[in-house]
């Protein structure tokens, strides 16, 4: 089940703008809708919606959260095995390999484009070696 | 949740139309995805005796059953179609990002039929598929093409792009399909099929998620795998492998190769890390398969993996691979970057043509990656031409003034440039070694080294006759990735499949050249396993680490929700292998005529080097293989009994169905 938008939607378009896969459609000031076939359940729309008009995949209304408080991945270079599954799973291209000074070494994953991160946790979910911890920007700093 | 999408996209390039086809679960259960799904669909869609470069041929891009599910070593995609080079079933495998991108578009495969009258490229994004004019890209190399399209379509999602270069546009029969700025699905000549359809590129910018039935189990399996394959090689010099290979070349006995070292070697050096040992033990051919490592006694200094990775700017990994055998290196001019030289490319442009100029190898590697041309086939064809020149079958007048002597770096570069452009003397060579020999005359045929028209990769069957066997019996002939005795040792299938014989720790080298001793059973198991892992999107280099450490069967079950045993998965592989053979039989291919050139079986034997005096009966090995897999031992045609036992009537008798416009 994908995320869905309720009739309480005000058509502010914030969710459509944040959606990384362009699954949300609607005219400004009109109720928007989510294409279930495209939605990847990242939850960014629900976290964005100040009108609490988005139902999560679990059928519950999500609470909006200021974007600066969204969780972001923190990477353990010691644990990372450079498989790149996190990079593959990231829907916004926020993750990449860090530059290393030793060119013969495996590069480890890092949050290459923090502004792109939408806190979906897909990277953490797929990492086979638990090298990723989701933290609020405050705690990760 | 399933690991497959349950549908494929058909693109009709003649009509400029699209159709989605829903694939029933039963097809996945019997043919998996990847090469198996491709075989099931192409057997139905390609009419018998279709012109490989005509509109009736179908070109497919297929993803793997495990790609994107959280498993490791499973990010490979395949191009499938009828090969214009061999006239047989054709497929070609490549890593990088495209396999996952196919699934992100919501498909397990994208298939092209018909042909466009003008150059086009396919775009798939969240708006769906669309075809666009590619006139402005025609004539550009594959890297330039990719850069232009990437700049145009990089939005919220970074697209993955496959393209052909100039070689594919000119329908060179040894051209491939390029993705990730210079990585090739090089074999079978499928770049020419793409060029014949005027399809310049495929731009995949989908964003769908890929699921697994049991993601927690996937994660546990992958975690265990990362723990089991970690073999640090950092303090070790590649010189030690040269010594190791030299000793192996001298010994009258062989031993079971430890697969677990493979991950460490590939991680540190890439495939070039195997070069020194291969040279020493007699795996690497010299001088168009006529010479030995004594022809280039200093080759391990010229092709030194330690020096090559010293030029590495960064490593790269296929998605889902903790090894990362790829690398971007600095070119000798210190101005450009290119992909790290692979083992095959190094052998192609050093030992095969007696060239000791490593800078030339960097240069032709970059040229051919951009042009989209198979470095193995190009090197083999140049080596053939050099032999012809030495024997006086080609003169300086024929070459247009090029002094085509062994190791002449200037001449090699010029000929490669001409082959890419299909100009001058290079035009004679641009379709590979078999076509070149046919043009030069019957006296040159024995010097054209191939199987069924496909140039052999550089692993000597006189050392491992399994290389010659699989290159002869596989429906895509001439390939080093379809099997070898070495692979059976390293795959360690007996640890997971009851009844398979265990390789002995030590053996007399002479026993390798005869059927029996479990070798034939092992060869068929390797074939079946190869079809299995090519269907799930797995990397054969990763598989060489061994199934005792890489839980590939368990991943397949956790990803799909099935509960099949490893033996049942090998049975599925046998079904795919047999279906590909049936494709060839329907084409009128006589399996007895696609075996490796006789020089590779020791006819005449080498007089020196690690393989001196070796001569073996390839026909005996082939017949034993056919018997073991359930094909007629005299003709290589799958028996009706085998077809019935494998329950293949659903595909062999199928009619088009389920396609929705």
């Amino acid at each position: 089940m994908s995320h869905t938008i309720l009739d309480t939607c005000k058509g502010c378009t914030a969710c459509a703008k944040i959606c990384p896969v362009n699954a949300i459609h609607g005219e400004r000031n009109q109720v928007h809708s989510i294409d279930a076939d495209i939605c990847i359940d990242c939850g960014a729309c629900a976290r964005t919606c100040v009108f609490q008009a988005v139902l999560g995949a679990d059928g519950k209304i999500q609470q909006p959260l200021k974007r600066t408080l969204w969780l972001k991945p923190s990477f353990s270079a010691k644990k990372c095995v450079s498989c790149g599954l996190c990079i593959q799973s990231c829907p916004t291209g926020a993750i990449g390999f860090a530059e290393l000074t030793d060119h013969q070494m495996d590069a480890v994953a890092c949050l290459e484009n923090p502004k792109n991160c939408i806190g979906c946790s897909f990277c953490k979910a797929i990492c086979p070696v638990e090298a990723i911890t989701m933290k609020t920007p405050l705690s990760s700093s | 949740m399933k690991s497959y999408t349950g549908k494929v996209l058909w693109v009709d390039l003649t009509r400029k139309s699209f159709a989605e086809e829903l694939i029933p679960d039963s097809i996945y259960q019997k043919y998996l995805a990847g090469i198996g799904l491709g075989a099931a669909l192409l057997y139905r869609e390609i009419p018998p005796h279709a012109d490989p470069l005509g509109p009736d041929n179908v070109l497919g891009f297929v993803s793997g059953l495990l790609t994107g599910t959280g498993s490791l070593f499973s990010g490979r995609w395949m191009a499938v179609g009828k090969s214009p080079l061999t006239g047989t079933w054709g497929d070609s495998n490549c890593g990088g990002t495209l396999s996952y991108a196919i699934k992100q578009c919501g498909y397990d495969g994208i298939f092209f039929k018909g042909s466009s009258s003008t150059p086009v490229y396919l775009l798939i994004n969240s708006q769906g598929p669309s075809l666009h004019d590619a006139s402005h890209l025609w004539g550009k190399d594959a890297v330039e093409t990719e850069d232009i399209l990437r700049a145009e379509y990089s939005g919220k999602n970074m697209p993955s792009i496959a393209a052909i270069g100039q070689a594919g546009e000119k329908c060179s029969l040894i051209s491939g399909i390029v993705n990730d700025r210079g990585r090739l699905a090089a074999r079978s000549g499928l770049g020419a099929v793409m060029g014949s359809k005027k399809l310049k590129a495929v731009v995949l910018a989908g964003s769908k998620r890929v699921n697994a039935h049991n993601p927690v189990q996937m994660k546990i399996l992958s975690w265990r795998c990362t723990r089991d394959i970690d073999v640090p090689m950092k303090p070790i010099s590649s010189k030690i492998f040269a010594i190791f290979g030299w000793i192996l070349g001298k010994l009258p006995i062989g031993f079971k190769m430890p697969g677990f070292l493979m991950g460490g070697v590939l991680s540190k050096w890439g495939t070039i890390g195997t070069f020194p040992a291969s040279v020493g033990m007699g795996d690497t051919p010299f001088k168009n398969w006529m010479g030995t490592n004594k022809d280039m006694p200093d080759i391990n200094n010229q092709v030194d993996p330690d020096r090559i990775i010293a030029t590495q700017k960064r490593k790269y990994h296929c998605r889902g691979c903790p090894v990362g055998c790829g690398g971007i290196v600095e070119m000798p001019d210190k101005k450009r970057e290119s992909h790290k030289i692979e083992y095959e490319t190094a052998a192609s442009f050093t030992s095969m043509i007696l060239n000791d100029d490593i800078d030339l190898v960097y240069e032709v590697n970059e040229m051919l990656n951009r042009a989209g041309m198979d470095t193995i086939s190009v090197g083999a064809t140049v080596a053939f031409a050099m032999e012809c020149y030495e024997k006086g079958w080609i003169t300086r007048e024929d070459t247009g003034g090029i002094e085509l002597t062994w190791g002449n770096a200037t001449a090699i570069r010029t000929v490669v440039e001409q082959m890419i452009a299909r100009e001058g003397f290079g035009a004679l060579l641009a379709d590979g070694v078999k076509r070149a020999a046919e043009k030069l005359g019957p006296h040159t045929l024995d010097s054209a080294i191939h199987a069924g028209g496909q140039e052999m990769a550089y692993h000597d069957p006189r050392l491992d006759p399994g290389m010659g066997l699989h290159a002869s019996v596989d429906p895509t002939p001439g390939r080093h990735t379809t099997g070898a005795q070495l692979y059976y040792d390293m795959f360690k299938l007996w640890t997971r499949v009851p009844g398979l014989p265990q390789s002995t720790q030590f053996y007399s080298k002479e026993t390798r050249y005869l059927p029996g001793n479990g070798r034939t059973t092992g060869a068929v198991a390797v074939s079946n396993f190869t079809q299995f892992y090519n269907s799930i999107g797995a990397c054969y280099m990763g598989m060489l680490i061994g199934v005792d450490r890489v839980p590939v069967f368990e991943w397949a079950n956790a990803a799909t929700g099935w509960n099949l045993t490893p033996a049942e998965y090998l049975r599925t592989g046998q079904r795919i292998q047999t279906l590909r053979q049936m494709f060839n039989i329907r084409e009128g291919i006589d399996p007895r005529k696609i075996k490796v050139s006789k020089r590779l079986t020791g006819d005449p034997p080498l007089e020196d080097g690690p393989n001196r005096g070796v001569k073996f009966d390839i026909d005996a090995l082939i017949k034993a293989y056919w018997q073991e897999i359930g094909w007629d031992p005299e003709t290589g045609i799958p028996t009706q009994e085998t077809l019935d036992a494998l329950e293949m009537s659903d595909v062999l008798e199928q009619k088009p169905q389920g396609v929705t416009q």
Side-chain angles (χ1 to χ4, degrees):
Chain A
M1 183 180 170
S2 77
H3 282 58
T4 48
I5 296 178
L6 302 173
D7 289 345
T8 49
C9 169
K10 305 295 183 193
C12 71
T13 74
C15 58
K17 285 177 186 156
I18 194 78
C19 176
V21 295
N22 298 323
I24 303 177
H25 303 284
E27 298 293 323
R28 177 169 281 281
N29 301 324
Q30 301 285 320
V31 175
H32 280 42
S33 63
I34 297 176
D35 185 335
D37 192 41
I38 300 175
C39 174
I40 57 171
D41 283 324
C42 66
C45 52
R47 287 191 290 279
T48 300
C49 181
V50 294
F51 303 103
Q52 299 186 37
V54 181
L55 277 182
D58 57 1
K60 294 177 182 170
I61 290 180
Q62 307 293 299
Q63 295 295 318
L65 194 63
K66 205 174 169 185
R67 186 154 186 187
T68 52
L69 297 176
W70 289 8
L71 299 176
K72 288 197 183 329
S74 171
F75 295 82
S76 164
K78 197 175 173 186
K79 289 183 179 176
C80 178
V81 292
S82 311
C83 70
L85 285 173
C86 54
I87 298 172
Q88 176 178 277
S89 69
C90 177
T92 62
I95 304 174
F97 282 125
E99 290 285 333
L100 282 180
T101 48
D102 184 344
H103 301 150
Q104 297 174 24
M105 291 273 290
D106 286 309
V108 295
C110 70
L111 191 58
E112 195 174 52
N113 302 299
K115 286 183 179 174
N116 288 8
C117 180
I118 54 172
C120 64
S121 302
F122 291 170
C123 52
K124 175 180 166 51
I126 204 159
C127 176
V129 291
E130 302 294 350
I132 300 173
T133 313
M134 296 302 291
K135 296 178 177 175
T136 61
L138 192 62
S139 63
S140 57
S141 65
Chain B
M1 291 286 192
K2 297 169 186 168
S3 67
Y4 48 91
T5 68
K7 61 183 177 182
V8 300
L9 178 71
W10 287 93
V11 182
D12 188 326
L13 291 166
T14 304
R15 297 178 180 174
K16 307 281 191 291
S17 64
F18 304 95
E20 287 187 351
E21 177 178 356
L22 303 178
I23 306 296
D25 285 349
S26 59
I27 290 292
Y28 290 101
Q29 286 159 4
K30 289 181 72 173
Y31 298 95
L32 307 172
I35 192 174
L37 178 63
L41 294 177
L42 265 55
Y43 190 88
R44 183 191 73 194
E45 289 294 326
I46 299 178
H49 312 298
D51 176 2
L53 298 181
D56 285 342
N57 197 5
V58 175
L59 177 67
F61 293 75
V62 287
S63 182
L65 190 75
L66 285 185
T67 298
T69 61
S71 56
L72 305 175
F73 304 113
S74 52
R76 310 283 297 187
W77 62 279
M78 290 196 96
V80 293
K82 181 178 174 181
S83 167
L85 182 65
T86 60
T88 63
W89 166 265
D91 56 54
S92 198
N93 189 296
C94 194
T97 58
L98 200 80
S99 188
Y100 187 63
I102 294 170
K103 277 186 155 174
Q104 281 193 295
C105 291
Y107 305 111
D108 291 314
I110 301 165
F111 295 87
F112 296 88
K113 54 184 177 182
S115 58
S116 176
S117 55
T118 56
V120 292
Y121 66 89
L122 172 76
L123 168 69
I124 305 180
N125 57 17
S126 59
Q127 315 302 311
S130 52
L131 287 168
H132 300 262
D133 175 48
S135 302
H136 61 300
L137 302 170
W138 205 253
K140 295 194 183 301
D141 71 42
V143 176
E144 290 173 321
T145 300
E146 184 170 335
D147 289 347
I148 291 169
L149 291 170
R150 189 176 302 284
E152 190 166 348
Y153 292 108
S154 290
K156 285 183 175 177
N157 301 300
M158 183 73 82
S160 184
I161 297 167
I164 51 170
Q166 302 94 324
E169 289 179 10
K170 294 176 187 296
C171 292
S172 159
L173 301 188
I174 51 174
S175 61
I177 302 169
V178 188
N179 81 313
D180 290 0
R181 304 187 86 248
R183 305 188 64 173
L184 258 72
R187 313 237 70 195
S188 284
L190 295 176
V193 178
M194 197 161 160
S196 73
K197 293 182 179 301
K198 291 275 197 298
L199 177 65
K200 178 66 179 175
V202 174
V203 183
L204 304 181
S207 52
K208 293 183 189 301
R209 284 196 79 187
V210 179
N211 299 304
H213 175 77
N214 188 341
V216 174
Q217 181 66 6
M218 294 298 293
K219 201 164 165 166
I220 293 169
L221 290 166
S222 297
W223 169 73
R224 283 187 194 145
C225 181
T226 59
R227 190 192 55 186
D228 290 345
I229 64 170
D230 186 21
V231 183
M233 286 277 177
K234 192 162 172 57
I236 296 175
S237 162
S238 62
K239 296 273 187 267
I240 197 165
F241 293 105
I243 297 166
F244 171 70
W246 183 81
I247 293 170
L248 275 184
K250 296 287 181 193
L251 290 175
I253 58 166
F255 65 87
K256 184 169 61 183
M257 287 286 179
F260 71 95
L261 289 175
M262 199 68 186
V265 171
L266 292 174
S267 182
K268 177 165 181 180
W269 294 282
T271 57
I272 194 67
T274 63
F275 195 89
S278 292
V279 165
M281 71 175 77
D283 179 45
T284 307
F286 285 76
K287 201 179 181 186
N288 200 26
W289 306 86
M290 296 184 295
T292 74
N293 51 18
K294 294 183 179 177
D295 288 314
M296 293 183 73
D298 203 29
I299 191 167
N300 283 327
N301 286 327
Q302 283 132 7
V303 186
D304 179 354
D306 287 335
R307 280 166 55 192
I308 289 172
I309 60 165
T311 65
Q312 188 164 269
K313 303 283 283 182
R314 58 191 174 275
K315 284 186 65 175
Y316 63 74
H317 300 236
C318 294
R319 291 290 181 263
C321 177
V323 168
C325 65
I328 298 296
V329 293
E330 185 176 58
M331 294 283 282
D333 62 13
K334 312 280 185 197
K335 294 175 183 169
R336 295 169 293 154
E337 291 185 347
S338 184
H339 290 265
K340 183 166 58 184
I341 297 164
E342 302 279 353
Y343 166 86
E344 304 294 344
T345 307
S348 214
F349 291 101
T350 58
S351 63
M352 272 290 280
I353 52 179
L354 305 188
N355 166 54
D356 58 7
D357 180 358
I358 190 71
D359 289 359
L360 173 81
V361 187
Y362 277 79
E363 196 58 51
V364 290
N365 183 48
E366 173 67 1
M367 286 162 59
L368 292 168
N369 286 348
R370 283 177 169 268
M373 216 164 183
D374 181 358
T375 55
I376 297 173
S377 292
V378 172
T381 311
V382 172
F384 161 76
M386 286 182 161
E387 183 181 337
C388 290
Y389 193 82
E390 182 181 59
K391 290 178 172 171
W393 299 336
I394 295 172
T395 64
R396 191 165 176 169
E397 194 176 313
D398 298 320
T399 63
I402 302 169
E403 194 69 53
L404 208 53
T405 48
W406 297 106
N408 183 341
T410 308
I412 294 161
R413 185 186 168 128
T414 304
V415 168
V416 171
E417 285 172 345
Q418 290 185 352
M419 287 175 74
I420 292 170
R422 208 186 257 283
E423 290 174 354
F425 175 67
L428 176 79
L429 309 178
D431 289 323
V433 75
K434 180 167 178 258
R435 300 306 196 287
E438 286 168 352
K439 289 173 190 166
L440 288 171
H443 57 291
T444 67
L445 290 177
D446 284 349
S447 300
I449 308 304
H450 63 90
Q454 176 75 75
E455 295 76 10
M456 282 287 290
Y458 304 118
H459 303 279
D460 201 324
R462 291 165 292 195
L463 174 71
D464 183 341
M467 287 283 180
L469 169 66
H470 287 275
S472 302
V473 297
D474 197 85
T476 45
R479 308 285 280 274
H480 67 295
T481 49
T482 54
Q485 291 181 2
L486 172 74
Y487 300 171
Y488 186 70
D489 291 352
M490 297 175 80
F491 288 154
K492 288 190 172 178
L493 291 168
W494 63 83
T495 63
R496 308 305 321 283
V497 182
L500 286 180
Q502 181 171 349
S503 294
T504 52
Q505 196 63 47
F506 297 96
Y507 55 85
S508 162
K509 282 183 177 175
E510 290 180 1
T511 64
R512 287 187 294 196
Y513 305 101
L514 301 168
N517 300 323
R519 296 283 191 196
T520 310
T521 305
V524 170
V526 165
S527 280
N528 297 344
F529 181 59
T530 300
Q531 300 315 302
F532 163 70
Y533 72 69
N534 278 339
S535 296
I536 63 173
C539 167
Y540 104 101
M541 290 290 180
M543 298 303 102
L544 289 175
I545 294 170
V547 296
D548 55 333
R549 292 168 189 266
V550 181
V552 67
F553 302 113
E554 291 77 3
W555 274 324
N557 280 338
T560 58
W562 302 338
N563 190 24
L564 299 178
T565 64
E568 287 170 320
Y569 278 119
L570 289 202
R571 183 83 166 158
T572 304
Q574 185 187 359
R575 185 178 295 117
I576 298 164
Q577 180 78 339
T578 301
L579 178 58
R580 292 162 71 242
Q581 183 76 344
M582 287 301 291
F583 181 95
N584 287 358
I585 300 302
R586 193 177 64 175
E587 290 296 319
I589 302 286
D590 183 346
R592 291 169 294 195
K593 293 184 177 171
I594 57 174
K595 64 186 174 190
V596 294
S597 301
K598 64 180 188 176
R599 186 178 289 177
L600 303 187
T601 65
D603 183 12
L606 289 169
E607 294 176 356
D608 206 348
N611 301 321
R612 68 180 173 278
V614 170
K615 183 178 182 181
F616 65 97
D617 183 358
I618 188 79
D619 291 318
L621 297 178
I622 291 171
K623 284 182 181 181
Y625 175 95
W626 285 344
Q627 176 92 47
E628 179 78 16
I629 199 171
W631 302 350
D632 187 296
E634 298 302 322
T635 65
I637 299 172
T639 65
Q640 190 58 50
E641 190 183 359
T642 299
L643 299 177
D644 292 342
L646 292 171
E647 300 177 81
M648 297 173 63
S649 60
D650 56 341
V651 165
L652 295 176
E653 297 164 13
Q654 68 187 330
K655 297 280 184 285
Q657 56 184 351
V659 178
T660 54
Q661 292 287 338

